[in-house]
Amino acid sequence: MLVQPFVRIDNVTKRFGRFTALDRISLDIAEGEFLTIVGPSGSGKSTLIRLLVGIDDVTEGTISLNGSRIDTVPANKRPTCMVFQSLALFPHMSVGKNIEFPLKLKKVTPADRRARALELLRLLRLPEDYYGKMIGQLSGGERQRVALARALAFDPEIIVFDEPLSALDYRLRKTLEKELKDLHGRTGKTFVYITHSLEEAMVMSDRIAIMRRGRFEQIASAEEIYSRPVSRFVASFMGEVNLFDLAVDGAGQPVWQGAGVTAAPGALTLAPGWQGALMVRPELVRFLAPGQSADFTVQGQMAAEYALGSRIQYSVQTEGGMVITVERPFEARHHGAPGAPVALGWDRDAVHPIAGTGEGGGDGKA
Amino acid sequence: MKPVSNTTRIALYLYGFLIIAVLYLPLVSVGFASVSKARYLTFPINRYTSEWMVQAVTSPNVHDLVLTSLKIAVSVTVLSMVIGFFGALAFARFQWKYRNLFQKLILLPIFFPQTVLGLALLIWFSALGIQPSWKTAVVAHLVWIAPITTLIIAIRAYGFDPALEEAARDMGASTLTILREVTLPLLMPGVISAGLFAFLLSWGNFPLSLFTTGVDSTLPKWLYARMVSGYTPQIPALGVLSVVGSALLMTIGFLVFRWTRRRA
């Protein structure tokens, strides 16, 4: 590659005693990118960002910024800044003193510090008289903004976020997600964000890296991850998804496991001997009226209906014993009593094949 | 809070009154003894006098005693605050191999009978060839008081988010800066209350001082000696003055404590 990546995490391993938290991880991050690392707890995402900012040391491998190694640079000399899950605002200092803290360490004059702090308060839409308030007097969302202002005051090359929104209520979280994305656009800084909520990741990120057991499962755009997950783990990580186990026999004929799906000739283009699952998103499954057809069809019984607000979710029990999740917009809701027979169908475009029988990428291939 | 019924209220008043009476009646009688003209306290008091109080305040001997007690108490306070601060970090803040053992061992001196501890220290000092004086008493007091200040500060250190120090480091602070700007100010309320305890415990300590002050004498030691041989009402007078002094110090300490709290 001719273009040198902004951040390069190269073959990094982190062990705690005999436990391997990160297993030969490599990742390039572009300048100004909003990268989100998503994974369940214990997947290694927190470990990775702690290595990135230098709170912990790498066991093996290197991390470089603009071509020079930073993994050997101590945390207080590294141009990275973390917004902690607890926010780590200093409770014994005012809002202004918190924001000025990194500037004071950089020996900026008091007048300049104050000016910069007020400027950042404005940038984060906090009233200027918050300068003198104590941290304890602020609400959760306001604290969030102060933590962000403090990180921006430090003016790092990379700002790293350790699930800072996880403690907030749903509505506030949604607002702040959008604000954060907006702020990313305005500051042009490189953001590395970790969360266990793929939904949160999708709203904000340029790219999403999905982690599992100390490895990256998939690194791609939100759209790519949503529609073309590489493994069952990724597919199921972001919520409701239908997975149909399938094998293709030597003659190229599909052998469905349990679901009782009928595929139209030519709808499936998988090689003989292929084994894995077909993923179909709930919103791409539709109810078929008598006489209507689709590339894939399955018969079943309406089991339950859940109102999600703008959408309605249905559970349909197939003859093969599988439960298929269907989502329709509220306007296109299906009127069927529980127990009533229904026909479901979807088209070939809606199908995404995931090879392998294990949960994660590579697990099943071995 | 829940409104209380009449019976509960009467019970509460009665309980409160009893507690206060049991705690303060002895002090009050000492107070009376110090202002009674009679050599031995009798009720009702026939003639009041301030003679004993004046004697207590003006006696050069008492000045020496107060000075020795103060020297010891102030030294113990300062040293035990410093020791307690770092001890608390080791106790509560850092994960290290022998932390569990440390946490248990540090508590032992508190439960050790003080007279035995004082005697043990005296034997130890003479084995080392150290002449006992008010300085050895400082060491003896520290053996007992430093674990207490460690505990008091550790309680505060337990409620301390380690991310605060990590964040400070992340933003470029050196270890010394973190200590000065983050750790110390946040633990300050604990350090101040620990210091207050240390002063009062040292000021009033008798069993450790008895063995380890050598030729120097502290106020409690002298009071005891005078009570055993040669009681005068100067003793209760001194006792009262000592209590008033302690109460004043507590009040000042409390005000300082509240002041740091407001800043925290």
Side-chain angles (χ1 to χ4, degrees), chain A residues 25-294:
Chain A
I25 282 239
S26 292
L27 172 70
D28 286 352
I29 303 168
E31 185 158 14
E33 186 175 7
F34 197 136
L35 177 90
T36 303
I37 302 168
V38 187
S41 26
S43 60
K45 54 188 194 305
S46 290
T47 308
L48 179 60
I49 59 167
R50 286 171 75 87
L51 297 185
L52 187 59
V53 300
I55 296 171
D56 290 328
D57 294 326
V58 298
T59 312
E60 280 159 30
T62 60
I63 302 172
S64 13
L65 176 76
N66 278 327
S68 50
R69 278 183 70 169
I70 56 166
D71 56 283
T72 46
V73 177
N76 52 1
K77 305 243 159 57
R78 236 182 254 198
T80 53
C81 188
M82 177 129 126
V83 176
F84 286 78
Q85 185 161 23
S86 64
L87 301 180
L89 292 169
F90 304 124
H92 59 296
M93 297 182 197
S94 66
V95 168
K97 290 282 169 290
N98 262 282
I99 299 174
E100 287 177 16
F101 185 78
L103 299 172
K104 195 175 159 194
L105 293 176
K106 286 182 178 174
K107 309 227 163 20
V108 177
T109 63
D112 289 352
R113 292 204 301 253
R114 194 187 155 87
R116 179 74 181 133
L118 291 172
E119 189 185 319
L120 285 164
L121 283 177
R122 277 195 298 278
L123 178 73
L124 286 145
R125 301 200 183 88
L126 284 169
E128 280 191 12
D129 62 348
Y130 271 46
Y131 182 88
K133 278 203 182 190
M134 295 309 284
I135 298 302
Q137 296 171 280
L138 305 188
S139 72
E142 287 163 352
R143 283 177 203 203
Q144 197 72 51
R145 284 177 199 155
V146 174
L148 211 54
R150 191 177 64 177
L152 288 169
F154 179 64
D155 196 27
E157 299 283 349
I158 311 160
I159 303 185
V160 175
F161 299 84
D162 184 6
E163 303 200 49
L165 302 182
S166 59
L168 301 173
D169 67 67
Y170 184 81
R171 275 187 58 184
L172 187 56
R173 209 162 67 221
K174 290 289 139 198
T175 314
L176 288 170
E177 281 169 12
K178 285 176 188 140
E179 269 183 36
L180 205 57
K181 187 181 168 70
D182 179 49
L183 190 74
H184 173 251
R186 276 186 290 157
T187 56
K189 290 267 172 222
T190 308
F191 280 23
V192 176
Y193 192 98
I194 72 165
T195 174
H196 57 261
S197 154
L198 193 72
E199 202 188 335
E200 199 169 294
M202 294 223 162
V203 174
M204 302 186 291
S205 329
D206 298 322
R207 262 193 322 159
I208 297 171
I210 308 241
M211 272 193 105
R212 174 168 178 258
R213 295 188 196 154
R215 304 271 308 168
F216 284 125
E217 191 89 356
Q218 186 170 11
I219 306 173
S221 68
E223 193 203 328
E224 178 82 12
I225 285 190
Y226 187 73
S227 47
R228 284 181 291 283
V230 296
S231 67
R232 288 166 198 254
F233 175 78
V234 176
S236 58
F237 197 74
M238 48 195 142
E240 306 277 353
V241 67
N242 296 305
L243 289 168
F244 299 96
D245 288 316
L246 175 71
V248 181
D249 68 13
Q253 289 303 307
V255 181
W256 301 89
Q257 266 124 53
V261 177
T262 314
L268 267 179
T269 50
L270 294 167
W274 189 89
Q275 217 177 7
L278 283 191
M279 183 197 84
V280 184
R281 296 246 155 242
E283 64 273 24
L284 298 175
V285 180
R286 58 179 197 271
F287 292 97
L288 297 178
Q292 272 185 320
S293 71

Side-chain angles (χ1 to χ4, degrees), chain A residues 8-28:
Chain A
R8 165 157 280 179
I9 295 167
D10 192 18
N11 228 358
V12 164
T13 296
K14 175 67 184 176
R15 285 188 212 97
F16 295 102
R18 294 179 62 194
F19 173 71
T20 305
L22 292 176
D23 185 13
R24 287 161 291 142
I25 282 239
S26 292
L27 172 70
D28 286 352

